Amino acid sequence: MYTLANMQDSIKKVEATRAQRMATEPRRMTADEKDALLAAYHPDYKEEGFITLKVGPNKGEKVPTELGYLLESNSRILGVDIDLDKVDYDVDVLVIGAGGAGSSAAIEAHEAGANVMITTKLRIGDANTMMAEGGIQAADKENDSPAQHYLDAFGGGHFAARPELLRKLVMEAPDAISWLENLGVMFDKDENGRMVTTHGGGTSRKRMHACRDYSGAEIMRTLRDEVINRGIPVIEFSSAVELIKDDKGQVAGAVLQNMETGEYQVAKAKTVIIATGGAGRLHYNNFPTSNHYGATADGLILGYRAGAPLLYQDTIQYHPTGAAYPAQIFGALVTEKVRSLGAMLVNVDGEAFMHPLETRDVSAASIIRECSDDRNEGVETPQGKAVWLDTPMIELIHGEGTIEKRIPAMFRMFMQYGIDMRKEPILVYPTLHYQNGGLEINGEGFTNTVNNLLVAGEAVGGIHGRNRLMGNSLLDVIVFGRDAGKAAAAKAKDVTLGKMNLDHVEKYAEILKEAGIDTGMVSPQLLPNYAGKRHL
């Protein structure tokens, strides 16, 4: 229930215009209008949010300030005596990260006969995969095709996706759905047992497969159970703090740190898969985030310090609809499925200011513009301005009971605070959601510069280009996770490791010093406003 008078006054305007808005469809923006909007309002285009890297494979390129400080920091084990001859774990495939990509990779590596182990700084399933809600894309119906899926995603990503990666994503999508269903994922189906699919922003066909609005949780539950049932070792609360190389320059494992005891351990591996997820908890540009607490760009830093370049590291996805009120759920994801079901974005005066299914970057920029001083059409909240998402439209369009049936997680989240989204609109504002950029890989999932190192999931750059469509992230963790597991297992059969070392850590510290970068310790909470010392 909304108690502030200004909110109640605005809700009356939303209700007054609802019938007229339901009778019309807001027009789509032209390409030129979108470009101008993004340039003026999207955070990726704000120069003050970036710094230029002075060292490493991407020297001279811009990167979000918070990430830049971590990339140009010294290793926490610099000067620590790590005995690499004392091997605590010796495996064929080491998977760093236990979300959707890491679990998928481990399952397929195990299926291929490899001795595989997962290490994670939290628990298995503590990942953005668990928090994904809206669904997973796949062109598996008669009126659709992977080619059409490719065109939608390529255009939605500003034509910047790596073709070989995007082609793999869309071509393997139907099999990914089948694989998940066979593992036990309970996708939404109609009375005839046919998959229920919906639109997402930027899609030309209904290809969004969902498990109500618990899609990621259902997928992660199933993957976790499969990992456990196979007996794959999972070393929880053990963060990979540095990659290990051998005297041939190829990756040879990782140094792990027990998050409870602080003890360092050595994991030796013939191939390593980085599947550490996103970076939302760095709170770029001081935005709230929908990400879980482990999303701190760890894999990007590990790979970068070892010599693997980044791709599109300057592009971040701000999900258009994060909860803006009440404060207890500020930044929590409001799935795009809410708009797919018909809810419109509406300003303080009850006006629909954009088409509800524009791509995410355009939608986020539109909301930011509406709340800016240029338009001053946002609704005042204790956390700042926001706009309405007119959720009562859903049941007027699809019938009573639709919200509880199709988006129960959203319904329960808001009902905890007395807001009945069946009867009242909800307040939203963009939230930091997805890391479009990441480590650069080739079509087989390997980095091009560090032998036997693979990357999967949100830690990869190039799959989606410079913007991602809804439902393609749950898809990429499955497609590229599975492929990385298969490739890592196959490669491990031919790998002979030399003497292990951490020479690259010492060398990176020297490069930082030569560049005049002060790498003293600083609290990560100070990074956004700190122009001095850096440490990770």
Side-chain angles (χ1 to χ4, degrees):
M1 180 177 180
Y2 298 98
T3 56
L4 298 178
N6 69 303
M7 294 181 184
Q8 287 289 346
D9 290 343
S10 184
I11 286 175
K12 291 177 182 177
K13 295 178 182 178
V14 173
E15 293 171 340
T17 63
R18 188 173 290 146
Q20 178 269 328
R21 286 186 284 104
M22 288 185 65
T24 60
E25 182 177 352
R27 75 174 183 87
R28 299 270 188 174
M29 296 183 196
T30 67
D32 288 343
E33 286 174 329
K34 292 178 183 179
D35 289 343
L37 174 69
L38 291 171
Y41 293 99
H42 196 279
D44 277 358
Y45 295 77
K46 303 296 183 183
E47 291 299 323
E48 60 269 23
F50 299 86
I51 62 172
T52 300
L53 292 173
K54 296 180 180 179
V55 302
N58 294 87
K59 179 180 178 180
E61 298 178 18
K62 73 174 187 177
V63 66
T65 301
E66 297 83 355
L67 177 60
Y69 280 123
L70 296 181
L71 290 172
E72 294 185 337
S73 64
N74 270 331
S75 170
R76 67 171 58 244
I77 63 171
L78 187 67
V80 177
D81 185 18
I82 306 291
D83 185 359
L84 297 181
D85 292 326
K86 180 181 176 295
V87 176
D88 298 280
Y89 307 101
D90 191 348
V91 296
D92 297 326
V93 180
L94 174 65
V95 180
I96 303 174
S103 297
S104 297
I107 291 167
E108 289 290 14
H110 185 268
E111 181 69 15
N115 176 15
V116 58
M117 183 182 85
I118 299 173
T119 186
T120 176
K121 70 179 179 184
L122 297 174
R123 302 166 300 175
I124 183 171
D126 283 336
N128 281 343
T129 301
M130 184 72 185
M131 303 174 77
E133 297 167 346
I136 175 172
Q137 285 201 46
D140 58 0
K141 288 193 172 179
E142 297 85 352
N143 69 333
D144 204 357
S145 71
Q148 191 62 49
H149 188 179
Y150 183 100
L151 292 174
D152 289 347
F154 198 49
H158 301 287
F159 309 99
R162 287 289 171 89
E164 68 275 16
L165 301 183
L166 184 54
R167 180 180 183 277
K168 182 185 288 285
L169 181 77
V170 302
M171 292 297 292
E172 298 181 19
D175 185 61
I177 296 294
S178 178
W179 184 72
L180 288 171
E181 185 179 21
N182 289 335
L183 285 180
V185 172
M186 303 290 288
F187 287 109
D188 294 342
K189 297 180 180 179
D190 63 21
E191 60 276 9
N192 299 314
R194 183 176 170 85
M195 293 271 191
V196 175
T197 53
T198 58
H199 273 300
T203 62
S204 61
R205 301 288 189 276
K206 292 182 178 181
R207 68 173 71 95
M208 202 70 57
H209 302 65
C211 312
R212 299 191 178 182
D213 56 350
Y214 297 104
S215 300
E218 170 65 5
I219 289 171
M220 193 66 247
R221 174 195 68 81
T222 305
L223 294 174
R224 180 199 60 198
D225 286 353
E226 184 68 12
V227 168
I228 293 170
N229 289 340
R230 284 174 173 265
I232 297 171
V234 182
I235 312 303
E236 296 183 316
F237 300 108
S238 289
S239 178
V241 296
E242 209 63 67
L243 295 177
I244 299 170
K245 290 185 176 183
D246 69 3
D247 52 13
K248 304 174 188 178
Q250 57 191 355
V251 72
V255 176
L256 313 181
Q257 184 176 28
N258 186 300
M259 303 294 285
E260 296 174 306
T261 67
E263 176 190 8
Y264 291 109
Q265 295 179 309
V266 174
K268 182 179 180 181
K270 295 176 180 177
T271 55
V272 175
I273 302 172
I274 289 177
T276 52
R281 284 292 163 178
L282 296 183
H283 292 285
Y284 298 146
N285 289 296
N286 293 317
F287 267 75
T289 185
S290 63
N291 284 195
H292 76 103
Y293 288 101
T296 51
D298 299 21
L300 305 195
I301 298 150
L302 292 176
Y304 193 79
R305 191 146 48 221
L310 302 171
L311 182 64
Y312 302 148
Q313 69 278 1
D314 58 332
T315 64
I316 309 299
Q317 182 166 94
Y318 296 81
H319 195 290
T321 54
Y325 183 87
Q328 294 94 324
I329 54 172
F330 186 55
L333 181 64
V334 175
T335 173
E336 193 167 309
K337 191 173 182 178
V338 178
R339 286 178 286 142
S340 297
L341 290 171
M344 283 185 179
L345 289 161
V346 182
N347 65 22
V348 68
D349 293 319
E351 300 168 341
F353 55 90
M354 56 162 284
H355 192 284
L357 291 179
E358 294 283 8
T359 56
R360 284 180 171 176
D361 55 350
V362 171
S363 299
S366 295
I367 295 170
I368 292 171
R369 178 176 65 179
E370 211 69 10
C371 295
S372 70
D373 292 339
D374 296 340
R375 290 204 174 181
N376 197 30
E377 288 287 346
V379 180
E380 290 286 354
T381 81
Q383 287 74 49
K385 292 182 180 179
V387 298
W388 296 109
L389 188 54
D390 195 8
T391 49
M393 292 179 64
I394 294 173
E395 303 219 329
L396 291 173
I397 295 170
H398 299 286
E400 188 175 339
T402 299
I403 285 177
E404 283 189 86
K405 180 180 179 181
R406 300 292 297 277
I407 46 174
M410 291 294 95
F411 175 68
R412 290 167 184 158
M413 181 170 74
F414 281 96
M415 278 298 288
Q416 286 181 340
Y417 303 99
I419 297 172
D420 187 343
M421 63 190 298
R422 299 170 300 183
K423 301 174 182 178
E424 298 175 302
I426 58 177
L427 285 165
V428 296
Y429 190 79
T431 185
L432 186 57
H433 185 60
Y434 188 80
Q435 176 181 275
N436 289 323
L439 292 164
E440 184 176 2
I441 62 171
N442 60 28
E444 304 305 314
F446 290 89
T447 63
N448 294 314
T449 56
V450 183
N451 290 340
N452 306 331
L453 178 64
L454 303 93
V455 192
E458 196 172 342
V460 174
I463 299 173
H464 309 286
R466 305 187 76 85
N467 181 59
R468 177 182 61 78
L469 299 188
M470 171 193 180
N472 280 346
S473 59
L474 278 180
L475 177 59
D476 90 50
V477 301
I478 304 301
V479 168
F480 287 89
R482 293 182 69 196
D483 286 350
K486 295 173 187 176
K491 180 68 173 179
K493 295 177 182 178
D494 300 323
V495 172
T496 301
L497 293 176
K499 185 172 177 57
M500 297 192 296
N501 65 73
L502 291 167
D503 293 351
H504 67 284
V505 175
E506 300 283 349
K507 183 177 180 181
Y508 196 79
E510 293 173 5
I511 295 172
L512 290 172
K513 187 174 181 180
E514 291 170 1
I517 297 173
D518 188 345
T519 55
M521 184 174 290
V522 60
S523 169
Q525 286 78 13
L526 300 178
L527 289 177
N529 302 309
Y530 195 82
K533 298 180 179 180
R534 314 164 195 188
H535 177 83
L536 175 65

